[in-house]
């Protein structure tokens, strides 16, 4: 009877809380969150097709289907009745059809949807998955990229095994420079090529040739005779891994012509509406830590190349010509916020809107996309700290309007932590440093709260004022969470990002600690209750911080690099570090690689530390995390190793993994939060 009364009282208390006060974000809410991605507006600007993303609680995986909505926000409905993965929706030039890709039992295929009838049809039967789906100007042809398999090198042949014998799997042999990728594992031999097929269905025709990869976005000439693309078709392309050039291929003769020659990445070509000029992205490779991606213009034959975005000093991405051919729309990050801008051919930049993004739910990284109708109406994914990506519409000379509210059913019942922007001075050189804090729900300024520092990855990336599941869950557990953009972060210009050139970790450590001191001095953080975490480059910084000082009561180091010497030659991107990160290769510059390795400071660590890593991580391999864990065990420092089975560097890709990451982090911190 007493137990019944106790349960009844608890239920009544929970009911009362729910009636009077919204609950903070809960771990299981992860499965309920949704976000929009890849919005595509119809040529006449009246309808938008987009991918609606969520999570399947039974399979513990992301899922996504195509939805269509009127540009005024009415009639939001599913495009098809199929319950399989769909994506890459692209309107025909006349707006009467939508081509898209969708999964089948045999793999991803090209489908068509007819607006007038609502009918769909599978158009292809491909040996591999198509990418970069693009319409020809006359609407008669679809082009796409697809990998063509190649044979592995054969060193020897095995004798035949007896019938019914159960031998070990055959040896896997590679002689390629890049042979594995985090999240994908071993890369099967082959090369990506461009294909075309009739928009009414039929056989796919390969347009490019040779043992080279032809990827990225595709752009048809207005007359439909040429396709512009980027590739690296040099004989030593494997070793010139930062380089790519702009090419065009004749769709009839298959003749390929190279249009650029600069050493560095030239990519994402877009032909102008009149076919006379090509816009593309790139930069001359100076072998630095950070180099700003610039917008270039050249004649259609490759002559008269020039940069038109020099005045911006921000990375330019996702370019689209305006209808008149007098300028281009583009995306850029500025001070931790992603924006859409327009630039004239003479280089005059105008910001059109803020707050693009919201398609990375875990942590507040830059993301998002947009598309433009013939009348200049823009649709894009919009985010704020209060919600992941919803659709927003921006009409010429008007303010943006949010037309979806995908998470009102769950976030409308939750009290999120308030996000506030902070600026402070670097004690090293007086630079202005930006960061954000998330206060716990129902924050009381009269109380003292523990501070949790969340260091971002990259390090050449940025956090911003965007929705973040992980940080909101930390705040919901009672922490003021501080996430800064120290030097090396993008969105503050090339010079700021390049301050880590041959100097990482460096004064970015001072920038983070200056932020901690600022928050303590402001009375926002309790100096006696400091905690720190971070993943990837943020894991490096976390390990570096506890090696440099003992101010933190506990730390959680996610997927770190502990030893640049060992990491460099075993990671999937092993070839990319020499000279841009540190001068020379590890065997040529052992002292520098060691000096910047957090393991060199492990003898100083007194902070109780949890170490976490994905067991399939090829970017910061588990052996790196184990170096920290084993060193701390040898020194008898309180530590624990958390290994995520099946997880790659994207350790929280599956919903249960994100929940596990956050839950383990909070459990460890709580153990020392006294």
């Amino acid at each position: 009877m007493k137990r019944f009364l106790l349960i009844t009282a608890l239920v009544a208390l929970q009911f009362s809380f729910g009636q009077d006060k919204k609950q903070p974000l809960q771990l299981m809410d992860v499965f309920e969150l949704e976000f929009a991605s890849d919005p595509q507006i119809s040529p006449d600007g009246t309808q938008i097709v987009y991918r609606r993303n969520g999570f399947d609680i039974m399979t513990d995986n992301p899922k996504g289907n195509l939805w269509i909505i009127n540009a005024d926000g009415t009639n939001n409905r599913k495009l098809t009745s199929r319950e399989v993965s769909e994506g890459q929706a692209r309107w025909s030039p006349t707006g009467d059809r939508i081509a898209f890709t969708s999964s089948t039992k045999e793999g991803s295929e090209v489908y068509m949807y007819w607006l007038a009838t609502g009918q769909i049809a599978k158009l292809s039967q491909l040996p591999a998955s198509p990418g970069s789906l693009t319409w020809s100007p006359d609407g008669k042809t679809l082009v796409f990229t697809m990998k063509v398999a190649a044979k592995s090198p054969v060193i020897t042949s095995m004798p035949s095994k007896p019938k019914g014998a159960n031998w070990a799997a055959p040896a896997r042999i590679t002689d390629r420079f890049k042979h594995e990728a985090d999240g994908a594992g071993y890369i099967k031999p082959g090369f990506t090529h461009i294909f075309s097929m009739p928009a009414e269905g039929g056989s796919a025709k390969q347009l490019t040739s040779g043992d080279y990869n032809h990827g990225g976005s595709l752009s048809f000439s207005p007359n439909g005779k040429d396709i512009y693309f980027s590739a690296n078709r040099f004989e030593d392309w494997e070793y010139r891994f930062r380089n790519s050039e702009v090419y065009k291929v004749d769709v009839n003769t298959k003749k390929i012509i190279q249009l650029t020659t600069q050493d560095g990445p030239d990519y994402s070509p877009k032909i102008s509406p009149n076919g006379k000029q090509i816009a593309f992205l790139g930069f001359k490779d100076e072998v630095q830590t950070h180099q700003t991606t610039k917008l270039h213009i050249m004649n259609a034959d490759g002559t008269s190349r020039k940069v038109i975005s020099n005045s911006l000093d921000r990375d330019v991405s996702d370019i689209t010509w305006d209808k008149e051919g007098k300028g281009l729309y583009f995306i850029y990050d500025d001070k931790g916020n992603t924006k859409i801008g327009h630039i004239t051919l003479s280089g005059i930049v105008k910001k059109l809107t803020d707050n693009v993004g919201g398609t990375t739910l875990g942590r507040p990284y830059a993301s998002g996309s947009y598309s433009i109708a013939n009348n200049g109406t823009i649709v894009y994914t919009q985010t704020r700290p209060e919600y992941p990506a919803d659709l927003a519409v921006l009409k010429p000379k008007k303010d943006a309007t949010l037309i979806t509210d995908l998470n009102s059913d769950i976030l409308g019942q939750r009290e999120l932590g308030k996000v506030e922007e902070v600026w402070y001075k670097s004690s090293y050189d007086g630079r202005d440093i930006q960061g954000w804090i998330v206060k716990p729900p129902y924050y009381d300024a009269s109380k003292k709260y523990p501070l949790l520092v969340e260091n971002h990855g990259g390090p050449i990336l940025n956090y911003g004022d965007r929705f973040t599941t992980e940080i909101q869950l930390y705040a919901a557990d009672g922490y003021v969470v501080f996430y800064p953009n120290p030097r090396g972060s993008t969105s503050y210009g090339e010079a700021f990002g390049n301050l880590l050139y041959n100097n990482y970790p460096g004064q970015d450590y001072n920038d983070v600690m200056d932020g901690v001191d600022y928050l303590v001095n402001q009375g926002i953080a309790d100096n006696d209750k400091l905690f720190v975490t971070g993943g990837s480059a943020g894991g490096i910084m976390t390990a570096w911080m506890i090696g440099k000082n003992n101010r933190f009561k506990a730390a959680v180091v996610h997927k770190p690099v502990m030893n640049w010497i060992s990491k460099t030659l075993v990671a999937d991107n092993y070839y990319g570090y020499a000279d841009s990160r540190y001068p020379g290769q590890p065997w040529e510059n052992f002292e520098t690689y060691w000096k910047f390795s957090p393991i060199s400071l492990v003898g100083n660590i007194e902070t109780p530390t949890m170490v976490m890593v994905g067991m399939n991580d090829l970017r910061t391999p588990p052996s790196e995390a184990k170096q920290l864990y084993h060193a701390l065990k040898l020194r008898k420092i309180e530590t624990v190793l958390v290994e995520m089975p099946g997880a790659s560097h994207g350790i929280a890709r599956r919903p249960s993994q994100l929940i596990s990451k956050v839950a383990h982090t909070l459990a460890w911190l709580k153990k020392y939060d006294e």
Side-chain angles (χ1 to χ4, degrees), residues 123 233 245 301 410 448 461 488-489 498 502 519 599:
L123 302 184
R233 290 177 56 86
E245 306 294 348
D301 62 0
I410 181 66
K448 284 191 173 183
L461 289 173
S489 301
N498 209 38
N502 295 166
L519 295 173
I599 199 69

Side-chain angles (χ1 to χ4, degrees), residues 410-463:
I410 181 66
L411 295 183
Q413 304 174 48
R414 298 290 181 255
E415 183 72 19
L416 298 179
K418 184 180 179 181
V419 178
E420 297 179 6
E421 180 182 7
V422 295
W423 285 88
Y424 55 93
K425 293 287 185 181
S426 167
S427 62
Y428 176 74
D429 56 11
R431 292 179 188 270
D432 291 323
I433 306 298
Q434 186 183 27
W436 288 263
I437 59 171
V438 183
K439 294 178 177 177
Y442 305 109
Y443 174 81
D444 184 348
S446 66
K447 297 180 180 179
K448 284 191 173 183
Y449 291 85
L451 178 72
L452 175 60
V453 180
E454 162 65 43
N455 294 300
H456 75 63
I460 313 299
L461 289 173
N462 68 77
Y463 275 166

Side-chain angles (χ1 to χ4, degrees), residues 611 613 621-631 641 643:
V611 187
V613 69
S623 57
E624 292 296 308
K626 289 179 181 178
Q627 288 185 55
L628 175 58
Y629 172 68
H630 291 159
L641 176 65
E643 298 176 287

Side-chain angles (χ1 to χ4, degrees), residues 314 333-337 421 423 434 436 463 485 491-492:
R314 297 291 187 270
D333 288 354
D334 182 50
K335 298 181 176 65
N337 188 276
E421 180 182 7
W423 285 88
Q434 186 183 27
W436 288 263
Y463 275 166
N485 278 343
S491 78
Y492 305 91

Side-chain angles (χ1 to χ4, degrees), residues 508-528:
D508 47 335
Y509 162 77
N510 302 85
D511 292 346
V512 177
M513 293 307 303
D514 288 339
V516 172
D517 290 337
Y518 170 82
L519 295 173
V520 169
N521 293 335
Q522 292 292 312
I524 297 172
D526 185 347
N527 191 51
D528 294 325

Side-chain angles (χ1 to χ4, degrees), residues 279-281 294-297 306-309 316 319 328 343:
F280 63 99
L281 301 174
K294 301 179 183 296
L295 176 55
H296 299 70
I297 298 290
K306 64 178 180 180
V307 177
I308 65 170
S309 64
V316 175
I319 56 174
L328 295 105
I343 185 170

